[in-house]
Amino acid sequence: MATQHSSGDLLADRRYRYAEACLEEGDHEAAADLAEQVLEIAPRYAPAWLLLGRAREGLAVTRGDPALQDAAVRAYACALDIDPDDTLGVRAQLSRLGVGDGLPALSPAYVRALFDGYAPRFERHLVEGLAYIGPGLVNDALPRVPERFAAALDLGCGTGLMGAAIRDRVGHLAGVDLSPGMLALARAKTWQGRPLYDRLAEGELGAFLAEEPHASADLCLAADVLIYVADLGSVLAGIGHVLRPGGLAAFTVQSHDGSGAVLGADGRYAHADGHIAEAAATTGLEVLTQRSADVRREAGLPVPGRVVVLRRTAA
């Protein structure tokens, strides 16, 4: 039986690797031809359908042929039919082409698989390669009063970069993440001779927040996490549920000058200022701070973003 890592046939796997190399080099015609050869041998190998879709997209651009883009959509649909949980991120490709099935473009299964594979090199790549400074920006944006927070939630905690940045200001620190691989690294971290986190949970943000006790946290943090969420309303509603009146939420987002949320070519969402303000207002949160910040670099260029601090209103 084919897996995401192997088609189950050595010849098909070898041709798939050649197809990947051709796609990387920009030879879309050869990549499409090799992907089709793979699928003749292993027709239920979802990664080959995804690769074929990407190759056909490239050919559609170079040849100016709309029929090839339609063919790319059909290839993506085949991949999604084989992998309905979408661990490969096919919905993001379809969303970019204006085709969707009403489900989130970035599925929890895709984000989990992405970060499980990324976990061993996550911190080095993020901090050294992308000049990532999100946790420091979030910590610096928080008001100095109160000096300490009794209970904090680190949403999408990853390997613990945000937790390490905030630990000396927090009494009880809990973290949640979709990725078991990330959580294993966070669990291994210590602070002053004890575990960095008092509690770690594996799960999706919305479900986790819904199950937390009402008004049980003084602080919610999300550094470089909400870029994988299209509609901030549901997450901010969950944050409003867990925060005590007067409690704070601080997070980073990528930004754009339009409206709503836009899925970029980097596979991350950028949120408009108006979307943030509207989502906060409808969930019992008020904006204390919303400042421009470059949270990291991509291809040597700064990625425009925002650092946001919200407060739970008494109501």
Side-chain angles (χ1 to χ4, degrees):
M1 181 179 177
T3 68
Q4 301 292 3
H5 303 293
S6 171
S7 68
D9 184 281
L10 290 176
L11 178 59
D13 286 351
R14 187 177 300 117
R15 290 184 180 177
Y16 178 79
R17 289 194 295 272
Y18 292 155
E20 281 188 310
C22 290
L23 190 67
E24 184 71 23
E25 293 169 1
D27 189 345
H28 300 110
E29 185 171 4
D33 181 60
L34 285 162
E36 289 169 350
Q37 292 179 40
V38 173
L39 291 166
E40 288 176 3
I41 302 169
R44 298 289 295 173
Y45 188 41
W49 283 110
L50 172 58
L51 193 151
L52 178 59
R54 293 175 60 199
R56 285 175 173 173
E57 260 200 90
L59 283 173
V61 173
T62 56
R63 295 180 182 177
D65 185 351
L68 282 168
Q69 182 161 305
D70 293 341
V73 169
R74 291 195 296 272
Y76 290 143
C78 287
L80 197 56
D81 180 65
I82 296 166
D83 175 31
D85 289 337
D86 195 26
T87 56
L88 296 172
V90 175
R91 285 196 181 95
Q93 307 289 343
L94 289 169
S95 177
R96 191 170 39 75
L97 294 176
V99 180
D101 55 9
L103 294 174
L106 302 180
S107 72
Y110 167 68
V111 176
R112 183 185 300 112
L114 175 69
F115 283 100
D116 268 348
Y118 192 19
R121 57 190 178 87
F122 174 77
E123 289 195 14
R124 181 174 180 180
H125 180 239
L126 199 62
V127 177
E128 297 179 14
L130 302 182
Y132 173 64
I133 55 173
L137 291 172
V138 169
N139 194 15
D140 291 344
L142 286 169
R144 295 299 100 184
V145 178
E147 293 184 1
R148 285 179 61 80
F149 298 87
L153 300 177
D154 185 1
L155 307 175
C157 63
T159 62
L161 290 173
M162 186 70 246
I166 199 71
R167 180 70 259 198
D168 63 351
R169 298 187 63 186
V170 172
H172 184 278
L173 180 61
V176 59
D177 203 276
L178 270 175
S179 165
M182 292 291 206
L183 287 170
L185 295 174
R187 194 169 287 113
K189 288 190 173 178
T190 60
W191 180 76
Q192 295 187 351
R194 62 187 178 91
L196 176 62
Y197 289 91
D198 299 290
R199 176 168 66 102
L200 285 168
E202 180 185 334
E204 186 269 331
L205 293 188
F208 172 82
L209 289 167
E211 293 172 2
E212 287 293 288
H214 177 66
S216 57
D218 302 284
L219 177 65
C220 288
L221 304 159
D224 218 37
V225 173
L226 301 184
I227 56 175
Y228 298 102
V229 176
D231 181 7
L232 297 182
S234 59
V235 173
L236 294 189
I239 288 174
H241 163 73
V242 300
L243 280 179
R244 299 184 178 105
L248 302 179
F251 55 87
T252 58
V253 293
Q254 291 183 189
S255 61
H256 72 106
D257 294 330
S259 61
V262 176
L263 183 64
D266 59 359
R268 303 179 181 100
Y269 285 102
H271 297 93
D273 290 347
H275 177 74
I276 298 168
E278 182 180 352
T282 57
T283 54
L285 301 165
E286 60 178 339
V287 178
L288 292 185
T289 302
Q290 188 165 313
R291 64 178 68 155
S292 299
D294 298 331
V295 294
R296 68 174 173 280
R297 302 181 73 83
E298 290 279 358
L301 299 174
V303 176
R306 299 283 188 270
V307 182
V308 183
V309 179
L310 307 177
R311 180 167 56 198
R312 181 72 167 93
T313 63

